[in-house]
Amino acid sequence: MSKGMSSPISRRLGRGAEAAASRTGGKVGRRLALGAVALFLSTLIFWVPFYFVIINSLKDQTQSADLSMAWPTSFHFIANYKAVLTASEHMLVRAFLNSALLTVLSIGILVLVAAMAGFVLQRREGGRASSLINFLVLAGLMIPPAIVPTIWVLDGIHLFKTLAGITLVEVSLHFPFAAILYKAFVASLPREIDESAMIDGCGGGRLFASIIFPLLKPVTSTIIVLTSINVFNDFVNPLYFFPGAANATVQLTLYNFMSRFTTSWNLLFADIVLISIPMLILFVFFNKKIVAGMTAGAVKG
């Protein structure tokens, strides 16, 4: 009797397991299909244009004028890239040095100032002064920069056309975003850390430098990578606030070479490849840190 009763139950359980497996398999199949579509679209949108630029940078002037994706009949890698690096008295080399120095200085100042500001803004919430400062920081994200007044101020303090002046401009423009990220991350740090340090005789400066700032490493990595890409690839600010052939940055070389290499698309594409490689490498190796830093302070601990 028990054997006869268990048989229908076993069959129903078997059918349920098969249905569950079928549903799971369907979900996995849909995910794989969506992944394949996303991979195809990303390849089409990002890598095909990059392939187009690279392949034309290896052609001679005549072949590159066709602006096709055909494989070159002869490669001119060394000649093209050497011509670009030596053009206009090695302008591109100077531009790389200027952009690298501008990026390093801007990142160093921004991280220090924004980290301190985010820590103070989060720990002293509630007062009128704090609300006003938070409003001003948010306003910095929404209000576009004023070009002419900024030039007037920089010229008045003798920082126009100087590395110090453009560095301050870059720091001020990226400060609101960085301060908001730091503030959100500091909110996930327990206040008991501050209180324990104060009880042990730790002052405010030492508390921040020795305890808080090392804990901000995830969001600091995110800010360093994102801001480095933005500053290194910035075109508008160096054009207005850091003019001059000696002050050229990597993106301005593309602007300058447009007139010089109008009929030499191979050299123009070679310049594009050279100025794209550093930030592309940076993004490829540190893209996981960007996501980690953006989400690290999403949940308050």
Side-chain angles (χ1 to χ4, degrees):
M1 183 70 180
S2 60
K3 182 177 181 181
M5 293 178 60
S6 62
S7 181
I9 296 175
S10 299
R11 287 196 294 270
R12 286 197 296 270
L13 291 175
R15 287 194 295 269
E18 291 176 359
S22 177
R23 288 193 298 269
T24 304
K27 291 180 180 179
V28 172
R30 286 193 295 271
R31 290 176 182 175
L32 291 176
L34 290 175
V37 172
L39 182 61
F40 173 76
L41 291 177
S42 64
T43 302
L44 186 66
I45 296 173
F46 296 104
W47 293 110
V48 171
F50 196 58
Y51 167 81
F52 172 79
V53 172
I54 292 178
I55 205 66
N56 280 282
S57 70
L58 303 177
K59 299 178 181 179
D60 59 18
Q61 182 177 357
T62 303
Q63 294 181 68
S64 63
D66 296 335
L67 297 177
S68 67
M69 299 180 66
W71 198 256
T73 57
S74 59
F75 291 90
H76 300 267
F77 173 79
I78 296 178
N80 290 346
Y81 285 86
K82 182 179 179 180
V84 171
L85 290 171
T86 58
S88 302
E89 299 181 353
H90 302 85
M91 175 184 286
L92 185 58
V93 177
R94 295 199 310 271
F96 268 110
L97 294 176
N98 290 336
S99 293
L101 188 57
L102 172 61
T103 302
V104 171
L105 291 175
S106 300
I107 294 300
I109 298 174
L110 176 67
V111 167
L112 181 62
V113 175
M116 291 190 293
F119 174 65
V120 173
L121 288 175
Q122 202 286 321
R123 289 300 195 242
R124 296 188 178 182
E125 285 184 326
R128 291 185 177 181
S130 179
S131 300
L132 176 61
I133 295 175
N134 282 319
F135 170 77
L136 293 176
V137 171
L138 291 174
L141 288 175
M142 298 179 288
I143 301 176
I147 303 298
V148 176
T150 304
I151 293 177
W152 180 78
V153 170
L154 290 175
D155 190 53
I157 58 178
H158 306 290
L159 292 179
F160 183 54
K161 298 183 181 180
T162 65
L163 182 62
I166 185 63
T167 299
L168 292 178
V169 170
E170 295 288 359
V171 171
S172 61
L173 291 177
H174 292 91
F175 171 79
F177 177 73
I180 290 174
L181 281 186
Y182 274 119
K183 180 183 175 183
F185 188 84
V186 171
S188 65
L189 302 179
R191 288 181 178 268
E192 287 77 6
I193 296 177
D194 306 5
E195 297 170 357
S196 299
M198 291 295 185
I199 292 174
D200 292 338
C202 190
R206 186 181 175 187
L207 166 66
F208 175 80
S210 301
I211 300 176
I212 300 299
F213 189 71
L215 296 175
L216 303 178
K217 184 178 179 180
V219 69
T220 299
S221 300
T222 299
I223 291 173
I224 288 176
V225 176
L226 291 180
T227 308
S228 296
I229 294 174
N230 291 332
V231 174
F232 193 85
N233 291 329
D234 194 3
F235 173 80
V236 175
N237 293 321
L239 177 65
Y240 289 122
F241 306 121
F242 200 45
N247 299 332
T249 56
V250 289
Q251 293 300 324
L252 288 181
T253 61
L254 183 60
Y255 177 73
N256 293 326
F257 287 171
M258 279 293 293
S259 57
R260 183 181 180 88
F261 300 143
T262 303
T263 58
S264 303
W265 288 100
N266 55 330
L267 301 183
L268 190 61
F269 287 134
D271 179 63
I272 295 174
V273 172
L274 287 174
I275 66 178
S276 303
I277 287 176
M279 292 300 105
L280 181 63
I281 295 175
L282 183 69
F283 182 80
V284 167
F285 281 98
F286 294 98
N287 64 86
K288 291 184 178 180
K289 290 185 178 295
I290 297 176
V291 178
M294 293 289 287
T295 59
V299 180
K300 184 175 180 180

